[in-house]
Amino acid sequence: MSLTPTKPWFPFVFIVLAVLGFSDATWLAIKHFTQTIVPCSLTHGCELVTTSQYSLILGIPVALLGSLYYFTLIFGTIISLESKKERIFRLITRFSLAGFLMSLWFLFAQIFLIHAICQWCLGSAITSTLLFVLSYFFYPKAATKVVSEPEVL
Amino acid sequence: MEYQTKNLLVRLSYYLIALAVLALLVFGIYSAVKSSELTVPVPLASVVTNNDWQKGNQEASVTLVEYADFQCPACGQFDPLLAQLISVYGDRVDFVYRNFPLREKHANAEAAAEAAGAAGLQGKFWEMHNVLYANQTSWQDLADPKVTFQGYAKSLGLDMDKFNADSGSVAVRDRIEADYRSGLAAGIDGTPTFFLQGVKIANPASYNAFAAVIESALAKTAQAPTTTP
């Protein structure tokens, strides 16, 4: 299989962003699981956001889903780099649309439904948006017809 | 064959290293979350005086000061824990309640603090305190909670004329403001915040965790010669 020559730095930038997002989401997830009673804060909106009804999807904390999402991106990239199969990486970059759409929804929920902004959630929205922009605007589209698009949302 | 197995091992080790790095990262974040709760010791800004709302043993060598907001859900969740602590350690610990109403966030927090303060002038601060927390959800969203608070005052058998006059009085409000400022001076930014022996502690996650913290403070004071058995 022939691989499209892409910028070699690309997967590394991708992985660095994914690690940032992973750290952020993991921080939120750990906060969620270690603090049983979330205090009322004078300065931050985080406790309002992270304890809102929108912070859970089917009973699973959104932060944990985010953490798993970034983990998938990181590991997918590592597998692709190690096995030298760019096809896998291409799939992973298409997957970044999911994270972007979720971030849009959470940003909307924070501004219009919860009326509070959580900086940590905003951080993850930024990394997932950057990953999406990189993937869809700076990464060459599929070179061969063999590449199947993943179904995203 | 030999070569392939070796190759597989090398490949596997890449993944294991990557996993280990991520696991290390998660552990690092976990310890960061844990340690962010126990930052540099923050001292209580003003000492406990007779002007404070106190329960338990005022002569006790262990003092727990709580900064709280009657409308804060977290304070409401902590209240049963504290009630249990007071019933168990009331003879050995001085429990102090200070107001820290988050007025920008909780529209009725100030009025609730005033109701408790007014009840306190008739010796029923803690009774009103309990009623307010027990019924937090029924008054938190009211446009004007005064009538509801008057109902609580009546049920506690308070002198209603005095209660109504005291509720909005300068004396009661000044006392709340003094509490609030002492909290700001101590650098607190949320509720509930607890100070044990004058030093801020991380909010314990359960009754048992809270009791353990108090036990260790009691054990420390017991080493010094005191009158408590």
Side-chain angles (χ1 to χ4, degrees):
Chain A
M1 173 182 311
S2 76
L3 301 172
T4 25
T6 51
K7 300 171 185 93
W9 53 263
F10 194 92
F12 295 100
V13 173
F14 192 87
I15 219 166
V16 165
L17 282 173
V19 167
L20 283 177
F22 176 77
S23 310
D24 189 341
T26 306
W27 161 271
L28 280 168
I30 290 174
K31 277 254 176 207
H32 179 97
F33 288 114
T34 54
Q35 281 197 327
T36 37
I37 302 176
V38 182
C40 299
S41 162
L42 188 63
T43 47
H44 316 113
C46 253
E47 96 280 357
L48 271 178
V49 176
T50 55
T51 56
S52 73
Q53 50 169 312
Y54 308 101
S55 72
L56 295 174
I57 291 179
L58 300 172
I60 305 165
V62 164
L64 187 65
L65 289 177
S67 206
L68 290 175
Y69 165 74
Y70 288 112
F71 182 83
T72 312
L73 297 191
I74 294 168
F75 242 75
T77 312
I78 289 174
I79 290 171
S80 149
L81 284 176
E82 194 277 327
S83 64
K84 301 196 169 59
K85 284 182 182 145
E86 199 171 350
R87 192 165 46 104
I88 298 173
F89 185 61
R90 200 178 298 281
L91 260 154
I92 289 293
T93 60
R94 299 304 104 177
F95 189 46
S96 68
L97 178 65
F100 177 64
L101 291 179
M102 289 303 272
S103 293
L104 278 188
W105 156 245
F106 290 122
L107 199 61
F108 171 82
Q110 284 181 66
I111 296 172
F112 297 104
L113 304 173
I114 310 169
H115 305 290
I117 294 283
C118 166
Q119 311 88 310
W120 291 97
C121 313
L122 223 54
S124 178
I126 291 170
T127 47
S128 66
T129 305
L130 284 177
L131 285 168
F132 165 75
V133 170
L134 273 178
S135 300
Y136 279 76
F137 298 100
F138 291 91
Y139 192 69
K141 291 223 167 57
T144 52
K145 274 194 81 180
V146 194
V147 176
S148 58
E149 292 276 322
E151 284 190 11
V152 178
L153 285 185
Chain B
M1 198 67 189
E2 176 106 321
Y3 173 76
Q4 272 189 348
T5 339
K6 201 178 167 190
N7 197 23
L8 194 72
L9 279 175
V10 170
R11 294 187 61 181
L12 202 68
S13 65
Y14 281 131
Y15 294 112
L16 287 178
I17 288 168
L19 266 182
V21 168
L22 285 182
L24 209 64
L25 187 66
V26 171
F27 178 74
I29 295 169
Y30 178 76
S31 354
V33 169
K34 280 277 149 203
S35 66
S36 72
E37 291 159 3
L38 300 160
T39 40
V40 225
V42 178
L44 193 61
S46 67
V47 289
V48 176
T49 67
N50 283 336
N51 241 350
D52 278 303
W53 302 114
Q54 301 180 52
K55 208 171 184 182
N57 181 0
Q58 296 195 16
E59 306 300 315
S61 50
V62 171
T63 305
L64 180 79
V65 177
E66 176 193 15
Y67 279 90
D69 167 336
F70 282 111
Q71 203 184 326
C72 166
C75 300
Q77 283 170 278
F78 262 105
D79 191 54
L81 266 66
L82 285 161
Q84 201 179 341
L85 287 172
I86 290 170
S87 73
V88 175
Y89 296 100
D91 56 334
R92 287 164 288 168
V93 177
D94 184 15
F95 292 88
V96 179
Y97 186 95
R98 283 182 179 168
N99 288 291
F100 197 77
L102 306 173
R103 301 181 183 103
E104 298 88 351
K105 246 181 187 176
H106 300 146
N108 293 336
E110 172 71 23
E114 287 176 17
L121 293 181
Q122 296 184 47
K124 296 220 163 153
F125 173 83
W126 291 96
E127 287 79 355
M128 183 58 96
H129 161 285
N130 295 345
V131 176
L132 287 169
Y133 276 126
N135 298 289
Q136 195 183 49
T137 49
S138 53
W139 57 262
Q140 63 186 6
D141 296 321
L142 297 177
D144 183 8
K146 291 244 164 63
V147 180
T148 307
F149 294 160
Q150 284 166 353
Y152 298 157
K154 206 170 278 173
S155 71
L156 292 175
L158 297 182
D159 173 342
M160 288 312 291
D161 288 336
K162 183 167 166 50
F163 175 81
N164 290 336
D166 287 340
S167 285
S169 72
V170 176
V172 165
R173 279 158 57 186
D174 277 356
R175 209 162 156 176
I176 296 166
E177 191 55 30
D179 281 359
Y180 186 77
R181 289 198 185 159
S182 76
L184 284 182
I188 73 169
D189 63 353
T191 56
T193 299
F194 298 99
F195 290 85
L196 185 61
Q197 301 299 67
V199 177
K200 184 179 166 182
I201 57 165
N203 287 3
S206 64
Y207 172 79
N208 287 336
F210 217 142
V213 173
I214 288 180
E215 287 283 359
S216 83
L218 283 167
K220 262 182 210 158
T221 55
Q223 281 163 9
T226 50
T227 47
T228 40

